[in-house]
Amino acid sequence: MRNKILLMTAVLLCVFGTGTIHAATLQYEYKTDFILNDETKALYVENIGDIPAIDYFLGYQFTIRGVNTCSVDIKLQRMGLTGNYTTLSAKQFIGNWFDFSAQDKVSIEPYHRYRIVAEEHSPNCGSVHVKGRYGVEYFTFD
């Protein structure tokens, strides 16, 4: 009886396999630290097709300080063949956002040029300090 159980266990392990598949995502590769003074800041991301991956995600994780009553709009955009940018995602952040809590992520395709645009849209805004990480996350199998 014991041999039958061991044989059945071995057969099931061969049929269903014993290995597991692991997935990994790499964090955003670029760091930034800038101050918005009634202006627009654009962060460009290029050459994302160099790393073989299953999925690519463009995104950011920012800490926004010094906003108080102002609003900051952050857009994820892709450049088209004509050179114009198309907005893939847009978020408006009002007030202070600490510990990289201002974040957004969108699925993208490789071999395109992308940018992240941060703009102030409120009057009487002082200097807004933005700090964090941005870029592309790659979803790959180990």
Side-chain angles (χ1 to χ4, degrees):
M1 182 68 172
R2 182 175 180 217
N3 288 338
K4 289 182 182 180
I5 292 174
L6 288 175
L7 181 63
M8 184 62 112
T9 303
V11 169
L12 289 175
L13 287 175
C14 289
V15 171
F16 293 110
T18 58
T20 58
I21 297 174
H22 298 283
T25 55
L26 303 175
Q27 293 295 324
Y28 303 125
E29 66 266 29
Y30 301 112
K31 290 184 180 180
T32 188
D33 191 356
F34 59 91
I35 295 176
L36 285 174
N37 289 326
D38 297 327
E39 61 186 48
T40 300
K41 176 73 174 178
L43 308 167
Y44 294 92
V45 179
E46 299 183 43
N47 299 328
I48 65 166
D50 295 342
I51 296 176
I54 295 169
D55 289 321
Y56 299 89
F57 299 99
L58 175 70
Y60 57 86
Q61 294 177 327
F62 290 151
T63 297
I64 302 173
R65 294 187 308 226
V67 180
N68 297 335
T69 60
C70 299
S71 68
V72 176
D73 291 344
I74 302 179
K75 300 175 186 175
L76 302 174
Q77 298 180 329
R78 181 179 83 183
M79 187 170 89
L81 294 175
T82 61
N84 296 329
Y85 282 91
T86 303
T87 300
L88 303 173
S89 176
K91 283 197 172 182
Q92 184 178 41
F93 299 99
I94 300 171
N96 294 317
W97 292 73
F98 299 107
D99 298 326
F100 305 108
S101 61
Q103 53 186 309
D104 193 9
K105 180 168 61 169
V106 65
S107 180
I108 59 173
E109 300 172 358
Y111 307 111
H112 289 280
R113 185 175 185 187
Y114 294 92
R115 75 177 178 180
I116 300 170
V117 178
E119 303 172 313
E120 288 180 347
H121 281 291
S122 299
N124 302 326
C125 226
S127 59
V128 176
H129 185 212
V130 179
K131 178 181 179 182
R133 300 179 68 84
Y134 72 96
V136 177
E137 277 186 351
Y138 307 96
F139 184 73
T140 61
F141 285 114
D142 289 341

